[in-house]
Amino acid sequence: NAGVTQTPKFQVLKTGQSMTLQCAQDMNHEYMSWYRQDPGMGLRLIHYSVGAGITDQGEVPNGYNVSRSTTEDFPLRLLSAAPSQTSVYFCASSYRRATGNTEAFFGQGTRLTVV
Amino acid sequence: GQQVMQIPQYQHVQEGEDFTTYCNSSTTLSNIQWYKQRPGGHPVFLIQLVKSGEVKKQKRLTFQFGEAKKNSSLHITATQTTDVGTYFCADTSYNTDKLIFGTGTRLQVFP
């Protein structure tokens, strides 16, 4: 099983450019989410989705868009890249249960630098 | 809003010493999950605690969930160099559907 696949692993953007980070999972998980990780800040939730066609904002959604047209895919779009978006981005997925989400599986991460 | 804090932010220990990280929430936690992230890697699930006062063990790791479900702890007995990494707690809120991570504790183990 591939699990959660993120592409690309590394990316350098110029300020103002746009790009899409790809995330795909093959475990039929309902819940998918995007996090950014900055030194000393832990993992901060950007956007999440509880199923195809449903997305919602997390803690730090500004400057990012998401869509969930299928169960498998959850791309993250940077509309106009800024240096403050330099970070490591992780995609994660899990099952949803009435008592909360089950264990989250993470992709390998995308290291993004905006110059 | 939901805030999950962890202390300490960073700790270094001599191999063989014990280590504890604490997770505290401003709101009642639904369930608590713990993850480990090795340097340069991605977070990997360790365990989930559901019940008030719950205690679970995995070899040298002991996880506790507070009676009021507002805090949790991870204790490692006799650390080894393989324990190096950052440990995160996360709240799986079934009310908001969000999985919110704590700030993490980075553990360094010196041989």
Side-chain angles (χ1 to χ4, degrees):
Chain A
N1 285 343
V4 179
T5 303
Q6 267 185 256
T7 55
K9 289 185 178 170
F10 301 94
Q11 183 72 48
V12 178
L13 287 179
K14 292 182 179 179
T15 298
Q17 285 185 318
S18 62
M19 79 159 295
T20 299
L21 307 185
Q22 301 292 344
C23 176
Q25 53 93 7
D26 62 357
M27 297 171 281
N28 204 30
H29 285 163
E30 302 97 340
Y31 184 90
M32 295 187 74
S33 53
W34 278 100
Y35 294 88
R36 60 176 290 172
Q37 185 171 33
D38 304 295
M41 301 291 289
L43 292 151
R44 291 184 292 169
L45 182 64
I46 304 171
H47 285 286
Y48 66 101
S49 168
V50 298
I54 306 169
T55 63
D56 208 344
Q57 295 181 350
E59 303 167 285
V60 288
N62 293 340
Y64 307 95
N65 272 357
V66 291
S67 60
R68 185 97 179 267
S69 56
T70 67
T71 299
E72 295 78 18
D73 299 300
F74 191 45
L76 177 73
R77 296 183 190 85
L78 279 69
L79 309 172
S80 177
S84 60
Q85 293 179 304
T86 293
S87 188
V88 179
Y89 291 85
F90 287 101
C91 177
S93 72
S94 64
Y95 289 114
R96 289 183 72 214
R97 295 293 179 264
T99 53
N101 295 330
T102 60
E103 66 174 285
F105 291 83
F106 282 80
Q108 298 295 316
T110 297
R111 187 173 295 274
L112 175 69
T113 303
V114 183
V115 297
Chain B
Q2 217 173 350
Q3 286 190 346
V4 184
M5 304 300 293
Q6 276 183 259
I7 54 171
Q9 185 174 359
Y10 174 75
Q11 186 159 7
H12 64 266
V13 299
Q14 203 74 31
E15 190 173 20
E17 292 182 335
D18 292 357
F19 159 77
T20 304
T21 173
Y22 300 90
C23 178
N24 298 297
S25 173
S26 56
T27 58
T28 301
L29 299 162
S30 302
N31 305 318
I32 197 84
Q33 294 179 348
W34 284 92
Y35 292 80
K36 177 184 178 181
Q37 183 179 25
R38 294 183 188 275
H42 59 278
V44 175
F45 175 84
L46 293 175
I47 208 161
Q48 176 163 295
L49 304 174
V50 176
K51 299 177 184 175
S52 167
E54 189 170 13
V55 178
K56 286 189 176 180
K57 291 191 175 184
Q58 287 181 350
K59 297 183 180 178
R60 295 180 294 104
L61 277 61
T62 302
F63 303 86
Q64 288 189 313
F65 204 179
E67 293 290 343
K69 297 187 81 172
K70 284 196 166 186
N71 56 75
S72 181
S73 65
L74 158 60
H75 180 81
I76 302 178
T77 303
T79 54
Q80 300 174 359
T81 54
T82 53
D83 295 325
V84 165
T86 301
Y87 293 85
F88 292 98
C89 62
D91 178 27
T92 69
S93 172
Y94 52 78
N95 289 327
T96 67
D97 281 321
K98 296 177 185 178
L99 179 62
I100 300 296
F101 279 79
T103 46
T105 296
R106 188 156 69 99
L107 172 65
Q108 182 64 262
V109 180
F110 296 103

